Amino acid sequence: MLPILAGFAQTGRAAFGVLPAIGAVEWSLDPWRTLAAMPGFGTSLRLSLVTGVGSTVLALMLAAGFCALLHGRMSTAAIGRLLMPLLAAPHASLAIGLAFLLAPSGWIARAMSPWLTGWDRPPDLATVNDAWGVALIIGLLIKEVPFLLLVIGSALGQLPVRAQLAAGRALGYGRGMVWVKVIFPQVYPLIRMPLFIILAFALSVVDMAIILGPSNPPTLAVAITRWFSAPDVALILPASAAGLMQAAVVAGAIALWIGAERLARLIGRWWLSRGGRGYATGPGLWAAGVVVFTLLTLGVLALLALAVWSFAWRWSFPQALPQSWALRAWMTPGAGWGRALQTTLIIGGVTTLASLALAIAWLEGEDRARRGRAAWAQALIYLPLLVPQIGFLYGLNVLFLQVGISGGMLAVIWAQMLFVFPYVMIALSDPWRALDCQHIRAAAALGASPWRRLVAVKLPMLLRPLMVAGAIGFAVSVAQYLPTLFMGAGRVVTLTTEAVTLASGSDRRIVGVYAVLQAGLPFLAYGAALLVPGLVYRNRRELKGGNA
């Protein structure tokens, strides 16, 4: 947590006028006055709130309705397998593919032209980078809804849903009304923290907002990134003030959400006391199902569009498919994507292994001390996921410059671990605690030392959960944009930074190559997490992942 606190401290000093590197040595409120006078600042703030809060509320409603509609008709495991492509795909690659779909010259417009629209050239429509952020909200929903479906499905496994549904139906309540009045109030506390993480991310996302969001003015997080990167160093001070404001916006949104929960609790108790066995929720559940199916279809088509564009050569509007194909965009790795791929693999591998080592050390320490995890420790694990990156990464970069480690892979790895480690801990904690302690006691009775019990018993039995946690950590590392941009000082080039940079106006074929590679790496990691344990323990049935 020290890097986060140090980063906020440095950002806070600059926000109040103290940044000796540019000659600012006196405390003042001038950066805040300059920020308030910045053109488009109010619009940027409004866009962040509309897209962030709006997408989170819509994602919760759609995911809850979809689960209510399909529960009992499709297993959680089947839903998880269907959602895996969208969960594994990094935000930037999915946003690029969605832009290829929704753009005026995108795949959707091509498929409907000219037979339906009459267009023989791309229309003058703002379907991407629109002023209201609709395309950004759609992109956020495509990522948020599958994540919430998975979280809600896991929470439902802890409840007697079938029995409660049967009891409610026997009392004359419709399926949707039982979900609204009985089941969802029990599910919500179990998904509360993931919802806060989604809200914080949606309010401060940068890579997706650059690709899909409004451009002039952009959302607040994108505007802050531009001000920090501007040639005019005087903009660093108001940018630092805006970084603190971004953190305050996230904290305020979470506080308002908690207030809304209390209001909903009061209204809900009053509504429950009135009774009512209406069936009016049925059409709403089907509408949620249709919208979620549409979002998932758009997500799959977006990933497919990346692959098509990476192999396309001549593709004139309004042709639905390329007239000619070529491998030319893939044939120059040395001058293009090869270096970015190598850097991404090195950073992702080191970050994931280091995070796994720390997670194992933490969990083994809990076991040896025979103590559970304290509430404050649990809060520290989640904190980096709730804090907007733009609020402290610049300050952390200043600190790293003073230490002399900025602008290299070490700084990028350290910064990425702040976000990879929490996901690895979350993925590994439950399987670790679910491990049957009898095996450990048997090894101890045979004279095995604590280290030998860890290496020879625990870790082999937890191979699949370890591989899954590593795959999740690697996917998170591949998707990191701001930590690489700031801590790498523009000298560390990864697939994500290049894809986001090229998406603003480069050749779609080249962008498609970078986005396909960026999306493909997490798929390979998840594939290894599924295949390797099965191959290693093909003759040992009980070690094939039952604890996962």
Side-chain angles (χ1 to χ4, degrees):
M1 295 301 103
L2 290 179
I4 295 177
L5 296 176
F8 270 116
Q10 292 289 341
T11 302
R13 292 182 66 205
F16 288 95
V18 178
L19 189 61
I22 63 172
V25 294
E26 294 184 2
W27 296 88
S28 74
L29 295 175
D30 289 342
W32 295 91
R33 299 187 185 98
T34 305
L35 174 63
M38 295 284 282
F41 167 69
T43 304
S44 295
L45 181 58
R46 174 182 60 80
L47 285 170
S48 294
L49 292 172
V50 169
T51 57
V53 178
S55 65
T56 305
V57 172
L58 286 174
L60 177 60
M61 294 172 60
L62 292 173
F66 189 78
C67 286
L69 182 67
L70 286 190
H71 188 268
R73 299 167 180 167
M74 183 180 293
S75 67
T76 303
I79 294 176
R81 287 192 294 268
L82 290 175
L83 298 178
M84 185 57 67
L86 299 181
L87 292 170
H91 295 84
S93 60
L94 191 65
I96 292 171
L98 189 61
F100 287 171
L101 280 182
L102 301 180
S105 60
W107 213 353
I108 294 177
R110 291 170 183 269
M112 296 190 302
S113 303
W115 62 275
L116 181 61
T117 62
W119 297 333
D120 57 1
R121 65 187 63 187
D124 186 15
L125 298 174
T127 52
V128 178
N129 306 125
D130 59 286
W132 283 96
V134 175
L136 176 57
I137 291 176
I138 294 174
L140 289 171
L141 287 176
I142 292 175
K143 286 296 293 183
E144 292 169 357
V145 170
F147 176 68
L148 271 180
L149 289 176
L150 202 64
V151 171
I152 293 175
S154 177
L156 290 173
Q158 305 176 43
L159 303 174
V161 179
R162 290 183 181 275
Q164 293 178 355
L165 271 175
R169 299 299 294 271
L171 292 171
Y173 288 88
R175 178 186 181 92
M177 195 62 68
V178 177
W179 273 86
V180 173
K181 287 191 171 184
V182 179
I183 297 174
F184 187 73
Q186 300 174 75
V187 170
Y188 182 80
L190 303 177
I191 66 170
R192 194 166 178 250
M193 185 57 69
L195 266 178
F196 289 161
I197 293 173
I198 288 175
L199 178 61
F201 171 80
L203 285 168
S204 57
V205 62
V206 174
D207 49 0
M208 291 191 81
I210 290 176
I211 298 167
L212 296 174
S215 56
N216 192 23
T219 60
L220 182 59
V222 176
I224 297 170
T225 305
R226 291 180 181 176
W227 296 335
F228 274 130
S229 306
D232 185 3
V233 295
L235 289 177
I236 294 177
L237 300 181
S240 300
L244 290 186
M245 177 169 285
Q246 179 73 73
V249 167
V250 172
I254 293 176
L256 288 175
W257 191 283
I258 294 173
E261 289 175 351
R262 295 179 178 178
L263 179 61
R265 187 181 299 116
L266 294 175
I267 296 175
R269 287 176 177 172
W270 169 79
W271 184 46
L272 286 172
S273 67
R274 293 182 67 248
R277 293 171 172 80
Y279 291 83
T281 56
L285 298 184
W286 281 104
V290 171
V291 174
V292 171
F293 179 77
T294 302
L295 290 172
L296 299 181
T297 302
L298 285 175
V300 173
L301 289 176
L303 296 178
L304 184 60
L306 296 177
V308 172
W309 266 110
S310 69
F311 292 104
W313 182 243
R314 175 175 171 78
W315 194 358
S316 57
F317 191 89
Q319 298 297 321
L321 291 173
Q323 291 117 303
S324 60
W325 304 78
L327 294 173
R328 190 170 300 182
W330 290 91
M331 298 305 292
T332 56
W337 53 265
R339 177 189 169 199
L341 175 61
Q342 180 183 15
T343 305
T344 303
L345 288 171
I346 293 174
I347 293 175
V350 174
T351 301
T352 302
L353 290 175
S355 298
L356 272 173
L358 285 176
I360 292 170
W362 185 316
L363 293 167
E364 178 67 8
E366 289 181 352
D367 289 351
R368 295 190 186 185
R370 294 184 176 86
R371 297 180 62 183
R373 187 174 305 158
W376 63 266
Q378 190 77 14
L380 289 183
I381 292 174
Y382 283 107
L383 183 60
L385 307 181
L386 296 172
V387 174
Q389 297 179 357
I390 196 67
F392 71 90
L393 280 176
Y394 176 78
L396 184 59
N397 188 35
V398 172
L399 181 64
F400 278 18
L401 281 170
Q402 295 173 351
V403 177
I405 61 173
S406 180
M409 283 195 184
L410 177 60
V412 174
I413 290 169
W414 193 344
Q416 287 196 7
M417 280 183 64
L418 296 175
F419 310 102
V420 173
F421 173 71
Y423 282 103
V424 171
M425 277 292 294
I426 293 169
L428 191 57
S429 294
D430 288 340
W432 188 284
R433 291 167 178 166
L435 185 66
D436 191 349
C437 295
Q438 292 182 359
H439 301 91
I440 313 302
R441 296 192 187 102
L446 293 172
S449 66
W451 280 107
R452 189 173 182 186
R453 295 198 295 268
L454 172 65
V455 175
V457 180
K458 280 189 179 180
L459 297 186
M461 294 186 69
L462 290 167
L463 179 60
R464 186 179 290 276
L466 285 168
M467 292 289 293
V468 171
I472 293 173
F474 183 77
V476 173
S477 173
V478 170
Q480 292 300 309
Y481 174 68
L482 278 185
T484 308
L485 182 69
F486 277 98
M487 312 314 294
R491 295 193 290 272
V492 177
V493 178
T494 64
L495 292 173
T496 300
T497 57
E498 286 296 280
V500 175
T501 301
L502 295 172
S504 59
S506 184
D507 188 340
R508 286 187 180 180
R509 304 169 187 85
I510 304 299
V511 177
V513 170
Y514 278 92
V516 166
L517 289 171
Q518 187 203 21
L521 291 181
F523 282 107
L524 293 176
Y526 282 111
L530 296 176
L531 293 177
V532 170
L535 293 175
V536 172
Y537 296 126
R538 60 189 179 276
N539 297 323
R540 295 171 176 85
R541 183 183 62 186
E542 298 302 325
L543 289 176
K544 287 187 177 180
N547 294 306

